[in-house]
Amino acid sequence: MTSESLTLKLPNELLETILENCVQFNCLLVNRRWSQATVRILWSDPFLSLQPKIVDVYLKFLNTTEREELNNNGIQLWEDKNFTGNNNKPAFYDYPKFLKHISTETFLFTLNEWLETFDKLIKNSNLESMRVHALILVLVKMFRRLAKPLNSLGSFCPSLEWFFDQHDFLYWIMTVKRLRLEPRNGDIFPAMSRVCHHIESLYLNLRDFHPGNIQEGLPQLKKLLSFLTNLQHLTYFRVEFRVEQFPEMILPILNTLPNSLLHLVLKNIMFLEDDGIVLTRFHMLKSLEIYHAHGLSEKTLDLLMMDKELGKILIDGMVPRSRVK
């Protein structure tokens, strides 16, 4: 059996898994099946490439109402001969259907880059902001209409607060299973509590969380976690903290975590006295990883080491000697 005939018999899911670890642009040229599988991979997280031309492709899929909405907000694409000449051609694939992952940071960066190349961009900060928002809303409406349910969402900028005020965006992310979040305050937590009930993996980085927002943000974060009944993987990360500012954060969060949790990663956490004892309630964890923890008592560590039901334990990336078999 030749290698070519073998690849023809591979299931699509296995072929895509293999291609994810290959030089994907080369795979586009192998044959039609490889090209289709590679396109699905590349366009599952398209804004990661930060290529403004991606926006041109998606604009092909706007309906009449969505085009009019852009026109009314100063993005009069279909009156630009240079634009219509290149974009009246039909797209080769139904690219919106492949979208699975999006980061608000790369999304906004790509849209801003695209607008900068648009000939009729008005050099006015207020108008530019309005144009960006209009472009975001139109694309989100199109994604909600044509794309499959979104699988993962990431935010590395404060702009997510604006996203969560948008009706179409909220409905579009209702099926998100993986969420990466770096908030500055708790303003977005109430909206997330209403819609993000299917999250299985949460990466929560509070490095930019302002100390003055703790008292207000903590109850909202606890409420959000109480709704995540399907949560299986949590990474809780805090950097550059000062002891007097953040000691009260970790204990309420740990006490709120659901019993469905299987994997817990804690980074740069400050424990007070026996706060770490609460970790021993997670008997069914398959893995517990703790990095750069401060104040974790020897008593707590001993209890964790002796827990035979607890799965893999890593302290600062190493398996404690007492757990080595």
Side-chain angles (χ1 to χ4, degrees):
M1 181 179 295
T2 65
S3 58
E4 183 176 357
S5 61
L6 179 61
T7 57
L8 289 174
K9 292 187 176 182
L10 287 175
N12 289 335
E13 294 80 4
L14 181 56
L15 178 61
E16 290 186 21
T17 301
I18 295 172
L19 294 179
E20 285 176 355
N21 299 289
C22 298
V23 182
Q24 293 163 350
F25 286 102
N26 293 341
C27 298
L28 286 167
L29 306 176
V30 175
N31 56 43
R32 183 175 178 81
R33 185 169 180 238
W34 279 49
S35 176
Q36 291 174 339
T38 304
V39 166
R40 282 195 292 270
I41 295 170
L42 292 174
W43 285 84
S44 66
D45 192 1
F47 297 102
L48 189 62
S49 65
L50 304 177
Q51 294 294 326
K53 289 184 178 180
I54 290 171
V55 180
D56 288 332
V57 175
Y58 280 133
L59 291 176
K60 294 174 181 286
F61 296 90
L62 299 185
N63 59 27
T64 302
T65 302
E66 291 158 353
R67 291 187 178 194
E68 289 179 355
E69 191 169 337
L70 284 186
N71 284 335
N72 293 337
N73 284 277
I75 306 178
Q76 299 169 340
L77 299 173
W78 291 268
E79 296 179 8
D80 188 314
K81 293 181 180 179
N82 293 327
F83 178 85
T84 55
N86 294 324
N87 288 272
N88 281 336
K89 299 176 182 178
F92 200 69
Y93 293 99
D94 290 333
Y95 295 101
K97 292 184 178 180
F98 304 140
L99 183 61
K100 294 182 180 179
H101 318 286
I102 198 168
S103 159
T104 58
E105 183 183 46
T106 57
F107 186 40
L108 286 172
F109 179 87
T110 304
L111 298 190
N112 278 303
E113 287 291 301
W114 181 86
L115 278 173
E116 287 182 5
T117 64
F118 181 52
D119 293 338
K120 297 183 179 179
L121 180 63
I122 301 174
K123 298 301 181 181
N124 179 294
S125 58
N126 293 328
L127 287 178
E128 287 180 8
S129 176
M130 290 172 58
R131 292 154 76 93
V132 172
H133 287 181
L135 187 56
I136 291 171
L137 290 177
V138 165
L139 288 176
V140 168
K141 287 179 180 179
M142 183 270 293
F143 290 145
R144 186 183 170 196
R145 179 169 52 84
L146 298 178
K148 294 182 179 179
L150 198 63
N151 186 269
S152 68
L153 171 69
S155 174
F156 311 95
C157 57
S159 307
L160 191 63
E161 284 84 349
W162 181 86
F163 279 87
F164 271 86
D165 287 333
Q166 311 308 312
H167 176 82
D168 285 288
F169 182 75
L170 288 176
Y171 273 88
W172 184 43
I173 66 169
M174 288 184 68
T175 56
V176 164
K177 292 184 179 180
R178 298 200 304 272
L179 179 65
R180 184 180 178 97
L181 196 59
E182 302 187 13
R184 291 187 177 183
N185 53 55
D187 291 348
I188 62 174
F189 294 147
M192 292 172 60
S193 300
R194 294 196 303 270
V195 297
C196 295
H197 295 170
H198 300 281
I199 295 175
E200 297 176 359
S201 177
L202 173 62
Y203 180 95
L204 183 61
N205 190 334
L206 298 183
R207 66 180 181 181
D208 294 324
F209 206 91
H210 193 276
N213 297 324
I214 291 178
Q215 294 301 324
E216 180 180 354
L218 184 57
Q220 296 170 340
L221 176 56
K222 290 171 60 179
K223 183 177 180 180
L224 168 64
L225 291 173
S226 69
F227 281 103
L228 303 184
T229 56
N230 296 317
L231 188 65
Q232 298 181 14
H233 193 143
L234 172 66
T235 298
Y236 180 82
F237 186 35
R238 173 68 201 165
V239 299
E240 299 178 0
F241 62 87
R242 292 198 292 272
V243 175
E244 68 272 16
Q245 292 177 343
F246 292 97
E248 73 275 23
M249 291 288 285
I250 185 61
L251 186 59
I253 290 174
L254 290 175
N255 279 325
T256 312
L257 295 178
N259 294 327
S260 60
L261 198 68
L262 297 177
H263 307 278
L264 178 60
V265 181
L266 301 174
K267 297 183 179 181
N268 287 24
I269 301 300
M270 168 60 66
F271 292 94
L272 289 182
E273 298 179 357
D274 289 330
D275 281 358
I277 292 294
V278 73
L279 290 172
T280 60
R281 83 173 179 88
F282 299 106
H283 293 289
M284 303 309 294
L285 283 179
K286 291 185 177 181
S287 67
L288 172 63
E289 301 180 38
I290 303 175
Y291 299 90
H292 308 297
H294 301 265
L296 193 61
S297 67
E298 292 294 330
K299 177 183 177 182
T300 299
L301 286 174
D302 289 340
L303 290 173
L304 292 173
M305 297 306 111
M306 291 186 296
D307 192 338
K308 296 182 179 180
E309 295 183 28
L310 190 60
K312 179 182 71 174
I313 298 179
L314 292 179
I315 306 295
D316 291 328
M318 300 179 63
V319 179
R321 291 181 180 180
S322 57
R323 294 279 293 195
V324 177
K325 297 181 181 179

